[in-house]
């Protein structure tokens, strides 16, 4: 018997008989990780919980479901603007040009939704990577306070510009550090208030992916490498907007299905900021600071636009240089 040919119903029956990922792994001759992944997919599709009898299986469940949010959030945009920023890696005391440009764009463009494409929270103090020398990093509470302040400003500006503006957070790998650390070290506290990242940001709707329309998806990451935007839209079959790589670029792609886009939203942080300088060892990076503007007409995505932080307090957008120093 092979996991690849099991139907969902067969897998559910097998799980309820053995109630153990390790037992199913041995029976099917596949990796235990693959069993857990299949289990999670089936739980999501069928809205059921496949209970495990072994402690290891339960620990995996805590780790993977700690976020407790919908995988997808649909916006149903027909006409209007959506602004997408990502990789802010908010740091106490640092107000970047791209962040000020974001506030300007929200005020000017009055978007129907502002999507945080992930990694607003950096989690430097709880990174799995070792400390670099004697570097100084903000504590978790200091980072949370910085995120609350900056995301609060975005919230306020968005609601002033358009009272019904939606605020969506497509979670990133750095954001996941917060709950993953807690879920793996103190799983007994799973339902305690404040132990989920969303508890601290109630205005923002968390998800893994946000769909402005059925043909456009916004998520933190998909493929990696220099050709990620190209490969993302080919492999997803959709226009796809991602962060993670800090590149800030638009890649068009056309085939028999028409035209679509791969978009990298860059970083809201400064590429040479303190979040990155030590582990990059002061090496050059192919990163750019800015964000993306998506415009929809009759549910069709027009050519995506980028806002680029070109110099301190200066952004460029639609052929103009705009001073955002007073924001």
């Amino acid at each position: 018997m092979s996991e690849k040919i099991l139907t969902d119903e067969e897998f559910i029956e097998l799980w309820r008989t053995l109630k153990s990922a390790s037992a199913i792994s041995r029976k099917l001759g596949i990796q235990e990780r693959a069993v857990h992944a299949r289990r999670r997919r089936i739980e999501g599709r069928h809205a059921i919980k496949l209970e495990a009898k072994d402690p290891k299986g339960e620990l995996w469940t805590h780790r993977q479901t700690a976020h407790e949010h919908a995988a997808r959030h649909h916006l149903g945009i027909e006409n209007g603007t959506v602004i997408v920023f990502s990789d802010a890696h908010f740091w106490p005391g640092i107000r970047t040009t791209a962040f000020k440009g974001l506030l300007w764009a929200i005020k000017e463009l009055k978007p129907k939704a502002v999507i945080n494409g992930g990694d607003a929270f950096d989690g430097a103090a709880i990174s799995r990577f070792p400390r670099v020398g004697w570097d100084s990093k903000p504590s978790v509470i200091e980072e949370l306070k910085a995120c609350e302040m900056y995301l609060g400003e975005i919230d306020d500006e968005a609601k002033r510009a358009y009272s019904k503006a939606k605020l969506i957070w497509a979670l990133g790998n750095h954001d996941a550090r917060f709950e993953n650390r807690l879920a793996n070290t103190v799983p007994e506290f799973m339902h305690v208030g404040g132990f989920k990242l969303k508890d601290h940001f109630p205005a923002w709707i968390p998800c893994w992916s946000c769909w402005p329309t059925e043909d456009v998806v916004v998520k933190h990451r998909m493929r990696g490498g220099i050709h990620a935007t190209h490969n993302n839209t080919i492999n997803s079959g959709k226009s796809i907007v991602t962060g993670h790589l800090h590149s800030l670029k638009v890649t068009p792609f056309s085939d028999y299905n028409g035209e679509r886009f791969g978009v990298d939203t860059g970083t809201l942080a400064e590429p040479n900021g303190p979040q990155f300088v030590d582990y990059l060892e002061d090496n050059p990076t192919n990163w750019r600071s800015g964000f993306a503007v998506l415009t929809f007409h009759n549910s069709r995505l027009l050519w995506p636009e980028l806002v680029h932080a070109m110099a301190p307090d200066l952004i460029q957008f639609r052929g103009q240089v705009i001073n955002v120093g007073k924001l």
Side-chain angles (χ1 to χ4, degrees):
M1 184 181 294
S2 168
E3 189 269 345
K4 291 185 178 179
I5 64 173
L6 287 181
T7 66
D8 283 2
E9 291 71 22
E10 289 170 334
F11 185 93
I12 291 169
E13 182 180 357
L14 184 60
W15 184 277
R16 287 174 173 168
T17 299
L18 299 178
K19 294 187 177 180
S20 166
S22 57
I24 294 175
S25 172
R26 290 191 297 270
K27 183 175 180 65
L28 300 182
I30 61 175
Q31 291 186 352
E32 191 172 331
R33 184 182 183 91
V35 177
H36 283 300
R38 181 74 188 276
R39 173 192 178 193
R40 294 197 309 276
R41 291 196 299 269
I42 289 176
E43 285 180 327
R45 279 197 295 266
H46 296 272
I48 61 175
K49 181 171 176 60
L50 298 176
E51 299 286 352
K53 69 178 181 181
D54 57 310
K56 188 175 181 181
E58 280 303 304
L59 180 59
W60 183 279
T61 300
H62 291 159
R63 183 167 67 245
Q64 297 299 327
T65 62
H67 296 292
E68 291 187 353
H69 55 70
R72 296 182 179 184
H73 186 83
H74 294 270
L75 290 174
I77 302 291
E78 293 185 0
N79 296 287
T81 299
V82 173
I83 293 179
V84 186
F85 72 92
S86 72
D87 298 272
H89 297 274
F90 286 125
W91 207 257
I94 296 181
R95 191 181 181 84
T96 68
T97 295
F99 174 77
K100 290 182 278 191
L102 177 63
L103 297 181
W104 171 87
I106 292 172
K107 181 179 179 180
E108 293 294 319
L109 302 177
K110 299 175 174 49
K112 290 190 173 179
V114 177
I115 302 176
N116 168 5
D119 285 0
F121 176 81
D122 186 79
I126 52 175
S127 169
R128 64 185 174 87
F129 297 105
R131 185 176 182 182
V132 180
W134 302 103
D135 64 348
S136 178
K137 299 175 181 177
S139 66
V140 171
I141 189 62
E142 288 172 332
E143 279 201 40
L144 282 177
K145 293 298 182 183
C147 286
E148 288 174 353
M149 181 178 73
Y150 294 126
L151 290 177
E153 284 193 61
I154 295 169
D155 180 2
D156 291 342
E157 194 64 61
K159 295 300 172 58
R160 278 196 294 267
Y162 177 62
S163 62
K164 297 180 180 180
K166 299 288 184 65
L167 302 173
I168 314 298
W169 190 336
L171 294 160
N173 53 299
H174 279 256
D175 302 319
R177 289 176 175 178
F178 181 84
E179 291 177 36
N180 286 350
R181 170 60 70 91
L182 294 169
N184 281 286
T185 55
V186 285
E188 301 85 357
F189 287 73
M190 182 175 180
H191 297 294
V192 175
F195 273 58
K196 299 179 182 66
L197 191 62
K198 70 177 183 180
D199 294 342
H200 302 273
F201 306 97
W204 294 81
I205 300 172
C207 60
W208 285 125
S209 63
C210 179
W211 296 67
T213 72
E214 293 302 312
D215 296 315
V216 181
V217 57
V218 179
K219 65 195 311 292
H220 181 63
R221 60 180 177 174
M222 187 175 167
R223 303 283 175 158
I226 192 171
H227 301 297
T229 49
H230 175 80
N231 292 331
N232 285 347
T233 191
I234 287 179
N235 286 279
S236 67
K238 305 288 185 181
S239 285
I240 180 166
V241 183
T242 55
H244 190 60
L245 299 179
H246 305 181
S247 292
L248 195 66
K249 60 184 178 182
V250 175
T251 304
F253 180 81
S254 300
D255 58 15
Y256 286 128
N257 294 314
E259 186 177 71
R260 56 187 187 268
F261 305 94
V263 181
D264 184 306
T265 52
T267 171
L268 212 64
E270 294 290 348
N272 61 349
Q275 306 94 318
F276 317 118
V277 66
D278 284 324
Y279 84 81
L280 288 174
E281 300 177 3
D282 196 30
N283 285 317
T285 62
N286 188 22
W287 295 355
R288 281 156 291 278
S289 188
F291 52 92
V293 175
L294 310 180
T295 304
F296 295 88
H297 176 71
N298 294 334
S299 299
R300 179 176 178 176
L301 175 63
L302 305 185
W303 198 286
E305 299 173 284
L306 300 176
V307 178
H308 176 222
M310 58 179 291
D313 290 336
L314 297 178
I315 62 170
Q316 54 178 314
F317 179 56
R318 294 179 178 171
Q320 294 185 330
V321 176
I322 300 152
N323 190 316
V324 294
K326 295 182 179 181
L327 293 171

